[in-house]
């Protein structure tokens, strides 16, 4: 027995597990603090400071300015709490719900200065997240019975089951039939061929799916858009992944409108306006 092995005797296996590398998304509070610092630094909103009394309280409403799927509500609450724990937030919709143009789906009440400081960061997060959710829902509906995945590619260096031709599919199938393997899914990359008329040819993809014949899950990637995903989904493929869900997404238009009439009424009553 080696010296290294001797030192490890009696140590639970779980304690030897390698911890995942540090990544910003593991620390949402850190991401929020960074976003707030980048947006307002330690100055706050200078226009708000110059025009609105420090203790003025207001009510602001979240307004959907187009139809879509709302997302980022939980993160928005974290932002408001980070800026000012006294802010009171109320929602009429939850993450994943449909919103339509003109709908007020939430509100926040408290110090105007705090709401204005949080506003841009909250909307930056929510608009992008809601845009991704909206496109994902549309693509998922169109892709049925296939499923849409949140990632479009395997990690660099780990693409040994990515196939680009029917010959490579046959090679993988032969390997799996003659060798003990943990292979569970085959990626069919760029087998969707764009045509000059804007349509796509899925004949190679369908042939690959037929070759695999249910022995493994299948995942199609490449040339996947909202316009092409329905046809791809009819090929019999199990999953469809698309980078368009993140790199080409359009933010959902959401605004946070302060109820100015209420603010003025309260301000006059408290002699702050």
């Amino acid at each position: 027995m080696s010296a290294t092995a001797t030192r490890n005797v009696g140590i639970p296996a779980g304690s030897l597990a390698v911890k995942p590398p540090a990544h910003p998304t593991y620390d949402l509070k850190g991401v929020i603090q960074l976003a707030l610092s980048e947006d307002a630094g330690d100055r706050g909103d200078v226009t708000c400071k110059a025009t609105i009394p420090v203790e003025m309280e207001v009510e602001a409403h979240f307004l959907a300015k187009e139809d879509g799927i709302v997302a980022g509500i939980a993160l928005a609450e974290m932002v408001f709490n980070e800026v000012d724990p006294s802010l009171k937030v109320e929602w009429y919709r939850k993450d994943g719900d449909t919103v339509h143009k003109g709908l007020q789906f939430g509100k926040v009440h408290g110090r105007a200065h705090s709401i204005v400081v949080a506003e841009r960061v909250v909307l930056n997060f929510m608009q992008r997240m809601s845009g991704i959710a909206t496109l994902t829902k549309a693509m998922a509906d169109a892709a049925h019975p296939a499923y849409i995945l949140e990632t479009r590619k395997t990690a660099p260096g780990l693409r040994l089951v990515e196939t680009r031709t029917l010959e490579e599919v046959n090679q993988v199938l032969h390997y799996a039939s003659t060798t003990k393997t943990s292979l569970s899914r085959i990626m069919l990359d760029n087998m969707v061929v764009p045509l000059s008329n804007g349509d796509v040819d899925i004949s190679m993809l369908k042939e690959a799916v037929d070759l695999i014949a249910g022995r493994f899950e299948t995942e199609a990637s490449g040339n996947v858009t909202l316009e092409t995903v329905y046809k791809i989904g009819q090929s019999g493929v199990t999953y469809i992944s698309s980078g368009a869900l993140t790199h080409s997404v359009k933010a959902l238009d959401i605004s946070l409108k302060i109820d100015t009439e209420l603010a003025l009424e309260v301000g006059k009553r408290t002699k702050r306006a």
Side-chain angles (χ1 to χ4, degrees), residues 232-254:
I232 297 170
Q234 302 309 301
S235 68
V237 72
T238 321
Y239 299 103
I240 303 171
S241 49
S242 172
L245 291 176
T246 51
H247 67 57
S248 300
V249 74
K250 174 184 174 293
L252 188 71
D253 196 356
I254 297 170

Side-chain angles (χ1 to χ4, degrees), residues 40-226:
D42 58 355
R43 296 177 180 274
D45 187 272
V46 292
T47 303
C48 187
K49 286 184 174 180
T51 59
I52 300 177
V54 174
E55 296 305 319
M56 171 72 78
E57 292 196 355
V58 298
E59 189 169 273
H61 298 267
F62 283 93
L63 179 69
K65 301 180 77 173
E66 59 182 322
D67 299 347
I69 305 296
V70 68
I73 284 175
L75 190 56
E77 289 192 359
M78 292 176 67
V79 176
F80 284 126
N81 186 68
E82 185 66 26
V83 171
D84 184 349
S86 72
L87 293 176
K88 293 179 175 58
V89 190
E90 184 179 350
W91 302 99
Y92 316 130
R93 292 291 186 273
K94 63 182 184 299
D95 280 333
D97 281 352
T98 299
V99 294
H100 60 263
K101 183 178 180 179
L103 178 72
Q104 288 187 358
F105 62 91
K107 67 180 180 181
V108 55
H109 178 88
R111 292 178 62 239
H113 284 217
S114 298
I115 292 175
V116 171
V117 166
E119 175 190 16
R120 283 185 295 270
V121 172
V122 166
L123 292 179
N124 283 343
F125 281 134
M126 288 192 71
Q127 287 177 332
R128 177 164 174 77
M129 292 172 72
S130 297
I132 292 171
T134 300
L135 180 57
T136 300
K137 176 65 164 62
M139 290 189 75
D141 288 346
H144 183 79
Y147 295 92
I148 292 292
L149 297 182
E150 76 279 11
T151 179
R152 73 179 188 93
K153 275 279 193 192
T154 51
L158 299 175
R159 294 176 174 158
L160 298 177
V161 294
E162 179 180 310
T163 59
R164 296 156 295 180
T165 65
L166 296 177
E167 181 183 359
E168 289 182 350
V169 171
N170 278 314
Q171 288 174 357
V172 171
L173 293 175
H174 175 72
Y175 174 82
S177 68
T178 58
T179 309
K180 186 177 181 181
T181 174
S182 58
L183 177 68
S184 61
R185 184 185 307 174
I186 299 175
M187 175 174 277
L188 308 171
D189 188 39
N190 286 319
M191 292 189 184
V192 176
V193 182
L195 302 175
S196 58
N197 63 359
D199 199 1
V200 288
D201 180 359
I202 63 165
S203 57
M204 188 193 306
L205 176 64
K206 193 173 186 314
E207 190 172 348
V209 171
D210 291 342
L211 278 172
I212 295 166
R215 283 173 281 180
F216 301 99
E217 295 176 341
T218 52
E219 178 180 342
S221 75
N223 297 308
V224 179
T225 67
L226 185 56

